[in-house]
Amino acid sequence: MQKVYTKIESIVGNVISVKADGVRSGDLAEVTTSTGKSYANVIKLDGDLVSLQVFSGASGISTGDSVRFLGVPMRVSFSDNLLGRVFDGAGKPRDNGPDLEDNMIPIGGPSVNPARRIVPKNMIRTGIPMIDVFNTLVESQKLPIFSISGEPYNQLLARIAMQAEVDIIVLGGMGLKYDDYLFFRDTLNASGALSRTVMFIHTAADPTVECTLVPDLSLAVAEQFALQGKKVLVLLTDMTNYADALKEMAITMDQVPSNRGYPGDLYSQLAARYEKAVDFEGAGSVTILGVTTMPGDDVTHPVPDNTGYITEGQYYLKHGHIEPFGSLSRLKQNVNKDTRADHRALMDGMIKLYAAYKDSLEKKSMGFLMSDWDEKLLKYGELFEKELMDLSVNIPLEEALDRGWKILSQCFSPEETLLKSDLIASYWPK
């Protein structure tokens, strides 16, 4: 039986408090005002005092308005009808399409039992050489993309969404500018990728609480598709906005702040989402790529710092490309041993030479005399950045490996690369 309460004890920001019994944390409630109805969810229990975060904000709510507890947690519809659709952070249509209310599933459930997980062993091809060749994305992996404001991380996610060899894309946007939302929608629609994509978009103008729901909505849907045997890639942007929303809610509830004002359970909140990445035994998989912007390019900021302890490496997006130094996919060795015989050796050899190029570049900037070897390295570095590092490069893994050999042959003799003679005999351009 659903109880209705007609006395609101307090209104602080977008949080209202009601005295009620038989209520659980995370339950959904309906707040009825003179201007209409809004949903809220239970975020704190203190005896019989229940605190609720109102989705549409507390503006217009008075202490005499009614609150009806629905007895169920926040849920989202799940079916193939989700594909090609765009929803907001409350699961309501943003694309003027019909509201979906069939097969409702709860969000924010527990992670998969580790005993049921399979060791990640399958590569996800993206067509981006700096990922496919040098830091391969592995199915069921959880990786952040560390970036600073102004870098093209949304463009990178859009390219991955269009090109990744997976069955389903779930895109969760948090705190997006409206232009960025339109960019994702129009880009995926123009490429045809929208037909295999579900989008949950929270814009900067939307209520804060909806920002905190986007990862749970995205991952709940992704898990259900994975249980149907689908390979699902979840793209989240921006997890720093998500953490800032948690911070704002914590301040509203008078929680004791931790590092830089973030809630003390920030690590647990992030881990509960990233740990949803899984390869199901006998079913599909969920892979997570989440953008984490670093304020002031500070990797010790609480959000990237905590994220680094949870995830399996990271991609660093700097100066418009994925940096080879600092970027790391810890599971790449599970798959790049099975791609092509020269993959590992070429990857290692090219990065070593690129590191030497950086040293030569620094020497040149300081006015040192350049040797013949330095000149070769400078030529190599320029070709490497233009033909492999540039994010506009879109080629399959095998073509990227062939291009790597071609770049080496244009700059060095075979023995200068220090690669094995049998690989040189097989792959060195004739």
Side-chain angles (χ1 to χ4, degrees):
M1 179 179 177
Q2 297 176 349
K3 294 183 179 180
V4 179
Y5 298 85
T6 56
K7 182 183 179 183
I8 296 175
E9 301 293 330
S10 67
I11 304 172
V12 180
N14 295 325
V15 176
I16 63 174
S17 298
V18 179
K19 286 190 175 180
D21 53 23
V23 178
R24 299 169 298 182
S25 180
D27 272 2
L28 207 59
E30 186 180 73
V31 183
T32 303
T33 70
S34 58
T35 57
K37 296 180 179 181
S38 177
Y39 285 111
N41 69 328
V42 177
I43 57 176
K44 183 181 179 182
L45 298 173
D46 186 4
D48 64 347
L49 188 64
V50 181
S51 297
L52 305 101
Q53 182 92 10
V54 184
F55 288 5
S56 60
S59 177
I61 296 178
S62 68
T63 55
D65 290 331
S66 65
V67 178
R68 180 167 65 98
F69 291 94
L70 304 182
V72 294
M74 179 67 185
R75 298 184 298 173
V76 63
S77 173
F78 172 75
S79 69
D80 286 343
N81 294 329
L82 290 173
L83 297 176
R85 296 293 308 277
V86 185
F87 302 90
D88 63 17
K92 299 299 179 183
R94 190 183 281 277
D95 56 2
N96 298 320
D99 200 353
L100 301 180
E101 297 182 351
D102 57 315
N103 191 28
M104 301 296 285
I105 58 171
I107 70 171
S111 300
V112 175
N113 185 338
R116 300 292 296 174
R117 296 171 183 244
I118 301 173
V119 176
K121 59 181 182 302
N122 298 315
M123 173 184 177
I124 295 180
R125 292 171 176 255
T126 66
I128 300 172
M130 291 309 296
I131 294 178
D132 292 356
V133 176
F134 298 98
N135 275 296
T136 313
L137 181 61
V138 183
E139 194 176 326
S140 80
Q141 200 168 15
K142 46 186 181 290
L143 278 177
I145 300 173
F146 288 159
S147 176
I148 60 173
S149 297
E151 293 290 344
Y153 49 83
N154 288 332
Q155 288 80 352
L156 174 60
L157 283 192
R159 272 199 60 197
I160 292 173
M162 290 187 290
Q163 299 172 189
E165 294 186 2
V166 294
D167 300 315
I168 304 290
I169 296 289
V170 181
L171 176 64
M174 292 158 279
L176 291 182
K177 291 185 292 186
Y178 203 77
D179 286 350
D180 290 333
Y181 153 56
L182 293 179
F183 164 75
F184 277 119
R185 187 196 66 184
D186 296 345
T187 302
L188 296 182
N189 188 40
S191 68
L194 191 60
S195 62
R196 62 165 186 168
T197 303
V198 184
M199 297 174 64
F200 293 96
I201 301 295
H202 167 268
T203 69
D206 294 334
T208 301
V209 65
E210 293 185 9
C211 183
T212 66
L213 296 174
V214 167
D216 291 337
L217 289 166
S218 303
L219 292 165
V221 168
E223 283 183 332
Q224 293 301 312
F225 277 120
L227 288 171
Q228 292 185 351
K230 305 292 187 182
K231 294 167 60 174
V232 187
L233 177 59
V234 180
L235 305 175
L236 301 173
T237 178
D238 167 5
M239 291 302 286
T240 301
N241 289 337
Y242 167 76
D244 287 343
L246 293 178
K247 178 180 178 179
E248 184 175 329
M249 290 173 58
I251 291 171
T252 302
M253 292 188 292
D254 294 325
Q255 291 184 4
V256 177
S258 184
N259 189 8
R260 301 199 198 183
Y262 287 93
D265 65 345
L266 177 62
Y267 178 91
S268 299
Q269 295 282 5
L270 292 171
R273 278 78 195 172
Y274 279 113
E275 289 298 338
K276 297 276 187 168
V278 62
D279 197 345
F280 288 105
E281 186 175 355
S285 64
V286 177
T287 308
I288 300 175
L289 272 180
V291 170
T292 298
T293 53
M294 302 182 295
D297 199 16
D298 180 13
V299 75
T300 66
H301 184 276
V303 182
D305 187 36
N306 280 281
T307 301
Y309 286 103
I310 301 165
T311 51
E312 297 151 343
Q314 65 282 320
Y315 295 140
Y316 275 99
L317 187 61
K318 289 186 178 181
H319 310 301
H321 56 240
I322 297 173
E323 278 286 331
F325 310 121
S327 295
L328 173 64
S329 169
R330 291 197 178 98
L331 301 182
K332 63 184 176 183
Q333 66 271 16
N334 290 11
V335 297
N336 60 16
K337 59 182 172 53
D338 301 319
T339 50
R340 210 169 81 172
D342 61 328
H343 188 164
R344 281 191 175 182
L346 185 65
M347 171 187 71
D348 292 340
M350 293 195 75
I351 293 300
K352 287 177 184 176
L353 289 168
Y354 187 70
Y357 154 73
K358 286 290 189 179
D359 290 338
S360 295
L361 195 63
E362 185 175 359
K363 286 164 60 179
K364 182 180 179 181
S365 67
M366 297 172 66
F368 284 87
L369 184 64
M370 294 287 99
S371 65
D372 290 341
W373 176 245
D374 287 320
E375 295 294 346
K376 290 183 177 183
L377 289 171
L378 291 173
K379 179 182 177 182
Y380 165 77
E382 290 176 3
L383 286 172
F384 182 84
E385 290 179 348
K386 178 183 177 182
E387 299 191 21
L388 288 179
M389 286 183 69
D390 195 298
L391 287 180
S392 65
V393 179
N394 176 25
I395 53 177
L397 169 66
E398 290 75 16
E399 186 177 338
L401 293 172
D402 291 340
R403 185 174 294 189
W405 283 106
K406 182 179 178 182
I407 292 171
L408 290 176
S409 69
Q410 290 175 326
C411 304
F412 308 107
S413 62
E415 58 272 12
E416 287 176 328
T417 64
L418 301 180
L419 293 171
K420 292 183 178 180
S421 56
D422 57 333
L423 293 177
I424 290 174
S426 299
Y427 297 103
W428 194 264
K430 300 297 189 273

